[in-house]
Amino acid sequence: ASKSRADDQPETAGVPVSAPGAPPARLVEDLDAALDQQQFWLVYQPIVDLASEQRLGVEALIRWMHPARGLLNPADFIGPAEVSGQILPIGEWALRSACDATARLAPDTYTSVNISGRQLGLRGLAAMVADALDASGLPAERLVLEVTETAIVADLDNAVARLGELKELGVRIALDDFGTGYSPLTHVRSLPVDILKIDRTFVRNVEHSEEDRAIVRGVIEIANRLDLRTVAEGIETPDQLEALRELGCESGQGYLWTWPVALDEALHAAR
Ligand code: C2E
Ligand code: MG
Ligand code: MG
Ligand code: MG
């Protein structure tokens, strides 16, 4: 490998950059190979009812075992795959795999799958999701698709159309990382969503910070008014759990129960 390193591409040592802003050619090649050679897999994190701590669902999260670099997290490759467009086949693989695995192994649970903004741009998205449900036998009511507000706002009219088609299939839509976007929280009123996922940044200090509690309280109030479900992300401690219960948050996920693990482990994880 070459020893040059572009200053603006800190994660791409030794790799020639093909165009400004484009992922390095080497990573693009590696992502193609990863799909061909089945180097991706999914881990799952339970989503629990905060009152009873019973499992309601699982979120599927992608991992990549790179042959040279070892285990890579989404932060290492999802962004570049969005730029290159490779998130389209990767995202389809993740959706189909999650539907297949959970239809077979997790009949009492819903399955939540992250969808990239690039996928939302596909006119055929709903048809692909319908086919994944058909092929796996997973009932639409047991699938949740997670999209970020940023992805929706990037092309609002298109996103609202695509999400509407998905909802017609009977799947539910969760707004991921809610509260981290720049649009006002009440903006959610005009979006076809069912679930608000309260971002981890508001959970981290929820038991100490009156400001963070005010934000969480606001999100829960909006959710209640619009008849949406709430899920808090990144619950790590019993004190955070208690604070979120007191604020009226319905459900959550986090290391308090388990980090993302193999599906069978996620289904048996309990505190
Ligand atoms: P996300 O959808 O918001 O997923 C939650 C992230 O928080 C996951 O990181 C999870 O491992 C982490 N997490 C869960 N509980 C805790 C906790 O208690 N403490 C801390 N510190 N972290 C916790 P992960 O797996 O690294 O995924 C990062 C992001 O990558 C996801 O954020 C999602 O936006 C994206 N992603 C993951 N899988 C896929 C996929 O299949 N397709 C697409 N398009 N994006 C994906
Ligand atoms: Mg998510
Ligand atoms: Mg999230
Ligand atoms: Mg998040």
Side-chain angles (χ1 to χ4, degrees):
S2 126
K3 289 182 185 65
S4 70
R5 178 171 186 164
D7 287 329
D8 60 341
Q9 299 278 337
E11 291 173 5
T12 59
V15 168
V17 175
S18 49
R26 176 62 176 277
L27 181 56
V28 172
E29 272 175 38
D30 286 358
L31 283 167
D32 277 341
L35 271 168
D36 281 353
Q37 297 167 25
Q38 293 158 31
Q39 293 165 7
F40 294 116
W41 81 101
L42 295 177
V43 286
Y44 294 83
Q45 188 177 42
I47 297 168
V48 304
D49 176 77
L50 295 191
S52 65
E53 297 186 65
Q54 303 268 46
R55 170 173 35 79
L56 302 173
V58 289
E59 180 175 4
L61 295 154
I62 197 167
R63 297 292 181 266
W64 179 11
M65 185 55 79
H66 188 286
R69 297 165 66 192
L71 173 65
L72 299 182
N73 285 313
D76 302 317
F77 63 90
I78 292 287
E82 282 175 336
V83 174
S84 71
Q86 287 163 302
I87 193 63
L88 300 177
I90 294 170
E92 177 168 350
W93 173 85
L95 176 75
R96 290 181 181 276
S97 305
C99 289
D100 287 345
T102 56
R104 281 186 292 118
L105 298 174
D108 57 345
T109 271
Y110 76 76
T111 304
S112 213
V113 180
N114 293 283
I115 295 291
S116 149
R118 287 296 296 262
Q119 290 175 282
L120 261 192
L122 289 177
R123 287 189 161 273
L125 179 61
M128 190 273 279
V129 171
D131 192 66
L133 291 169
D134 264 10
S136 63
L138 186 73
E141 308 77 56
R142 280 176 42 208
L143 182 62
V144 171
L145 299 176
E146 300 193 3
V147 297
T148 64
E149 188 182 25
T150 316
I152 293 176
V153 171
D155 187 352
L156 186 61
D157 291 345
N158 171 74
V160 168
R162 298 290 86 79
L163 294 177
E165 292 161 3
L166 291 168
K167 289 192 51 114
E168 275 174 33
L169 297 177
V171 310
R172 283 172 294 161
I173 307 296
L175 211 42
D176 208 349
D177 305 338
F178 189 63
T180 61
Y182 287 99
S183 39
L185 298 186
T186 49
H187 177 85
V188 71
R189 191 158 61 93
S190 57
L191 301 176
V193 302
D194 306 280
I195 299 166
L196 300 182
K197 297 197 74 171
I198 301 169
D199 194 68
R200 180 157 54 89
T201 52
F202 308 115
V203 170
R204 195 179 292 136
N205 297 309
V206 69
E207 76 276 38
H208 302 300
S209 159
E210 182 49 46
E211 268 176 35
D212 288 347
R213 272 200 300 282
I215 292 169
V216 172
R217 201 177 287 120
V219 172
I220 291 168
E221 244 173 63
I222 291 168
N224 288 342
R225 256 182 234 162
L226 300 176
D227 197 23
L228 308 176
R229 310 275 71 80
T230 48
V231 181
E233 298 185 315
I235 304 174
E236 296 184 354
T237 69
D239 286 347
Q240 291 168 345
L241 170 61
E242 201 40 50
L244 289 162
R245 276 177 176 154
E246 277 170 20
L247 290 165
C249 185
E250 288 170 353
S251 62
Q253 61 191 99
Y255 298 167
L256 179 59
W257 295 281
T258 174
W259 50 88
V261 289
L263 179 58
D264 58 340
E265 266 181 83
L267 296 177
H268 294 115
R271 210 150 61 90

